Amino acid sequence: MAWRVASVAVGTFVVIVAMLAGMRAWSLSQGFAFQAIPGALPSATPGPPGGPGPQNILLLGVDAGPADATATPDPAAHLDGLSSVLLVHLPAERDGVEVSSIPASVPLRDDTTIGEALRSGGVTNAVEEAEGLLDTHIDHVAVIDDNAYAAVAEAFEGVTVTADSPFRTRDGGQVAAGTQRLDAAGVLAYLRPDPAQPGAEELAMRNQQELIESMLGEAVSGDTLTNLRLLADLSAEVNPYIAVDETLTPEYLAGLGLKLDDIRSDVVFDTFRG
């Protein structure tokens, strides 16, 4: 099953790519500057965003628990809480974006999972295992704390989703069926269905994709991309919750955004089945 959405990237991370495309007049030094993960890639062989060849970016979502205002967030310190795995594929022609959700429970070559690989060997090991599972080279990797979704929702004063049916959340709450506007806390609950209910992993992936679609719609609507105060506030809120390999710089992301700026209707979501 595929979902077609309107913008240039995925999750809070790709919302930021879309925004960077609209920040031509805004100094990158004032914008998004993520934490770096030293040695995150097995081999440093990424190509430039405007150069030839495809690009693959692995996004590892982690559940770090409630945000702590008294502590500095560190997404890479919560590798035992893998919540989502996404592969963003940019074709060589840069004429679209393909985003695959990968179930964290998909077995690897030795019957372990990406989550277990992440816990035992860190980000580098998870990248190597993902490359083996997908039979593809990964150019970049980002670790994203789920609290980044809440930060985006806060900046946008909520996001709108439509639940096909009611479901229990991991904290014992309930999400009603139908269209609703979620605040930051609601977004986190929406991302975290009760794992004891049937189909919880599939539901979590579908909910994540729907949240991304809604956030992307918010990002490219109205005057969002020209509202420098909103961009500054969003960058300050989101930056601490994203850690990336050392070559995944704001300049690289801005280059991707500019390259992909005209294909906002050509982003496709699907789910990897193994």
Side-chain angles (χ1 to χ4, degrees), residues 7-253:
S7 191
V8 297
V10 55
T12 55
F13 185 78
V14 184
V15 169
I16 291 165
V17 174
M19 289 184 168
L20 283 168
M23 291 163 57
R24 297 179 178 88
W26 196 37
S27 169
L28 283 170
S29 65
Q30 301 177 53
F32 298 95
F34 309 125
Q35 301 176 51
I37 308 172
L41 295 173
S43 58
T45 58
Q55 292 275 288
N56 294 305
I57 305 174
L58 185 68
L59 307 182
L60 302 172
V62 295
D63 180 359
D68 184 351
T70 66
T72 301
D74 184 1
H78 298 279
L79 303 183
D80 58 341
L82 183 69
S83 59
S84 62
V85 183
L86 296 165
L87 182 73
V88 179
H89 174 72
L90 310 176
E93 298 79 10
R94 301 296 193 266
D95 58 353
V97 180
E98 301 164 13
V99 182
S100 295
S101 293
I102 304 169
S105 61
V106 168
L108 303 173
R109 291 167 293 188
D110 57 358
D111 289 331
T112 61
T113 65
I114 291 180
E116 290 168 338
L118 188 64
R119 286 191 295 272
S120 64
V123 174
T124 307
N125 191 40
V127 171
E128 290 177 333
E129 293 294 349
E131 287 183 329
L133 175 68
L134 302 170
D135 192 26
T136 191
H137 174 71
I138 290 173
D139 299 282
H140 294 289
V141 62
V143 178
I144 305 174
D145 183 335
D146 285 349
N147 285 300
Y149 288 92
V152 172
E154 188 78 23
F156 290 163
E157 298 183 349
V159 294
T160 300
V161 298
T162 301
D164 293 336
S165 57
F167 63 89
R168 298 189 309 275
T169 62
R170 194 180 64 192
D171 62 3
Q174 290 280 337
V175 172
T179 300
Q180 50 212 289
R181 188 81 174 171
L182 301 179
D183 60 10
V187 162
L188 290 177
Y190 202 73
L191 283 171
R192 299 165 176 169
D194 181 356
Q197 60 194 341
E201 184 174 52
E202 185 78 21
L203 177 61
M205 289 190 294
R206 188 165 64 249
N207 287 356
Q208 182 188 40
Q209 292 176 344
E210 185 181 6
L211 277 171
I212 289 166
E213 179 177 0
S214 179
M215 289 177 176
L216 290 171
E218 297 277 351
V220 299
S221 66
D223 63 352
T224 298
L225 295 180
T226 58
N227 186 333
L228 298 187
R229 175 172 290 182
L230 185 150
L231 291 172
D233 290 346
L234 181 61
S235 67
E237 292 296 324
V238 169
N239 281 348
Y241 297 116
I242 299 179
V244 300
D245 70 80
E246 294 170 295
T247 60
L248 192 51
T249 62
E251 290 79 6
Y252 169 89
L253 292 177

